[in-house]
Amino acid sequence: MKNFDVIIIGGGFLGLSTAYQLSKMGVQTLLLEAGDIGGGTSASCSGRAQTCEGHLDSLNIQIIRDGLARHETLEEELGAHYDWRKIGIFLLIKDQKLWNHWEERAAILTPAGIPTEVIDQKALKTTEPYMQTDHLLGAAYAIEGMLDPLKFSLAYANAARRHGAVIQGHSRVIGLEVKDNRIVAVKTKGGTYSANKIAVMAGAWTSTVTELAGVKVPVKHTHAEALVTEKIPPIVNNNIELADFYETIHGKERAVAIGIHPQPNGTLDISEAVTTTNKLHKGLSAWGITKMCRELVTLFPSLKGVHVVRSWGRPTSFTPDEEPLIGWVPGVDNLFIATSLVITITTVPLLSEWMALMLKGEDPPVAMDEYSPARFSKIMTP
């Protein structure tokens, strides 16, 4: 049996960034990923480093603001480019209630260091002249980041390896041996490993992994689909999303909340068609791609006739109270989980350092008790 200080299960943004931070601190770290490194849900997202759409509590605002600032020097730190850039985001507003809601949010976010404003239809049309805006009152506007999610994942993986971490793809965990309320062995088809601490950072698959230790964590998921167009002339200048994205998809068996993200190579990344399902899979539906294309052409009529070159689907996780799960699992002394961040890419550079400290047995600079799995202890069964 090979021994480590920490074993991380899950090779997405959270797992890879935490492996990097731990290895940089001198902690012997093994990361196990069931598929390709960075090939799961993390690498399938649009690459947005969101700013103004998170929860308004002080902790969430801090990790967004300070996490975004870390990206300005992170490429240099990791020794790799992941196409980091700043871009505007328009969150489309259809009615007065939504307008008032975003004015209230802007009044909180802007003084807190996340500048946000609400602009009218005329200003929106001036900035996005190809957009059909007749049905809109305007939009909320902020600056956010964009990156290539696969390059981002691999930048962390390679930097972690340089500091001594062992990063293994195609190493699905098939068993967790528990003795005296501790996980004493992690089993894969390729070998068995042990560590003082086990961290599960497997996104929508988190509960599937923890159930191997007899623990069911309350991680739910929806299935999201997206697509990429062929290269086109510059028609969309900013990221475009719905101001009521979550309301549009919440509680629906299936729904489309259109998002449009121009890429440096001239393509458009289009998201997302959402299906409520209990099945974890990576498939696609005919209705999702069709509906996204219809809504895209309704919003930007000049895109009619543009070809779709690729599409994909992945599960996206969330918790019952829509707050992250970060911390130690009650009942299993050495089991740590991290999943279901409201905003991930923006906060990863900061949260990964804090989580690494927690895994070392040290306190992070800011308490994260509100994200602790202990809040669900009554429904978790170690």
Side-chain angles (χ1 to χ4, degrees):
M1 185 184 297
K2 298 179 181 179
N3 301 308
F4 295 85
D5 295 325
V6 176
I7 294 175
I8 296 173
I9 302 171
F13 295 147
L14 291 182
L16 292 167
S17 60
T18 305
Y20 163 72
Q21 295 289 352
L22 284 168
S23 60
K24 191 170 67 167
M25 296 174 185
V27 178
Q28 290 184 309
T29 305
L30 167 67
L31 182 144
L32 300 171
E33 162 57 36
D36 294 325
I37 295 299
T41 298
S42 290
S44 301
C45 71
S46 62
R48 292 178 60 210
Q50 298 160 275
T51 54
C52 64
E53 296 165 273
H55 295 169
L56 296 178
D57 59 277
S58 59
L59 175 57
N60 193 67
I61 288 175
Q62 178 181 351
I63 60 178
I64 290 172
R65 182 190 62 228
D66 297 349
L68 187 72
R70 292 278 185 100
H71 277 284
E72 296 302 318
T73 57
L74 187 58
E75 286 183 311
E76 181 179 357
E77 178 184 334
L78 298 179
H81 292 292
Y82 50 80
D83 298 341
W84 173 251
R85 60 198 184 277
K86 292 289 188 63
I87 189 171
I89 171 70
F90 283 120
L91 301 166
L92 305 181
I93 296 174
K94 300 176 182 178
D95 56 49
Q96 190 62 47
K97 181 179 179 181
L98 205 53
W99 179 283
N100 296 341
H101 172 74
W102 274 94
E103 280 197 324
E104 292 170 3
R105 288 182 63 88
I108 296 170
L109 290 166
T110 300
I114 304 175
T116 307
E117 62 178 316
V118 179
I119 66 168
D120 61 19
Q121 182 196 84
K122 182 178 179 180
L124 177 60
K125 186 68 173 180
T126 300
T127 309
E128 295 289 348
Y130 292 98
M131 186 191 297
Q132 175 56 254
T133 60
D134 292 348
H135 64 299
L136 301 171
L137 290 185
Y141 177 76
I143 297 292
E144 61 182 19
M146 283 288 286
L147 51 75
D148 182 306
L150 181 55
K151 290 180 179 180
F152 186 50
S153 296
L154 296 180
Y156 266 123
N158 292 331
R161 287 187 174 111
R162 288 196 297 273
H163 284 283
V166 178
I167 309 293
Q168 291 186 186
H170 300 281
S171 299
R172 183 181 300 277
V173 173
I174 59 175
L176 296 173
E177 183 180 340
V178 180
K179 184 178 181 179
D180 297 329
N181 296 325
R182 291 181 62 83
I183 297 173
V184 296
V186 177
K187 300 178 181 179
T188 71
K189 288 184 177 180
T192 300
Y193 310 91
S194 68
N196 293 329
K197 296 165 185 177
I198 311 299
V200 180
M201 301 181 177
W205 285 270
T206 294
S207 188
T208 302
V209 176
T210 62
E211 284 177 15
L212 297 173
V215 177
K216 185 174 179 62
V217 297
V219 175
K220 303 180 180 181
H221 74 277
T222 56
H223 189 76
E225 301 174 20
L227 60 88
V228 169
T229 72
E230 63 182 323
K231 296 179 181 180
I232 61 172
I235 291 175
V236 183
N237 300 315
N238 298 271
N239 281 343
I240 309 292
E241 294 278 341
L242 299 184
D244 56 348
F245 169 84
Y246 295 106
E247 294 83 354
T248 300
I249 66 171
H250 185 70
K252 309 284 178 43
E253 183 177 345
R254 61 186 196 181
V256 167
I258 195 72
I260 307 168
H261 319 106
Q263 301 297 319
N265 65 357
T267 64
L268 295 177
D269 179 296
I270 311 299
S271 61
E272 66 189 51
V274 179
T275 306
T276 300
T277 176
N278 292 322
K279 183 181 179 182
L280 288 164
H281 68 98
K282 299 179 181 180
L284 289 163
S285 66
W287 80 266
I289 302 302
T290 302
K291 180 68 171 175
M292 280 190 289
C293 290
R294 286 175 178 169
E295 294 208 10
L296 175 62
V297 171
T298 299
L299 195 58
F300 283 89
S302 56
L303 292 176
K304 187 175 182 179
V306 169
H307 294 112
V308 173
V309 297
R310 188 166 67 90
S311 57
W312 63 91
R314 291 293 188 275
T316 58
S317 66
F318 63 96
T319 64
D321 61 5
E322 298 183 356
E323 294 284 2
L325 276 176
I326 299 176
W328 300 100
V329 173
V332 183
D333 296 340
N334 65 336
L335 177 58
F336 185 97
I337 60 174
T339 184
S340 307
L341 272 62
V342 178
I343 290 179
T344 303
I345 289 176
T346 318
T347 60
V348 154
L350 190 67
L351 282 181
S352 60
E353 181 181 313
W354 295 1
M355 291 189 296
L357 290 171
M358 295 170 73
L359 286 163
K360 279 189 67 181
E362 301 177 13
D363 293 329
V366 177
M368 293 193 290
D369 295 343
E370 61 197 85
Y371 297 159
S372 171
R375 69 188 191 272
F376 296 117
S377 59
K378 291 184 179 179
I379 58 175
M380 297 168 69
T381 54

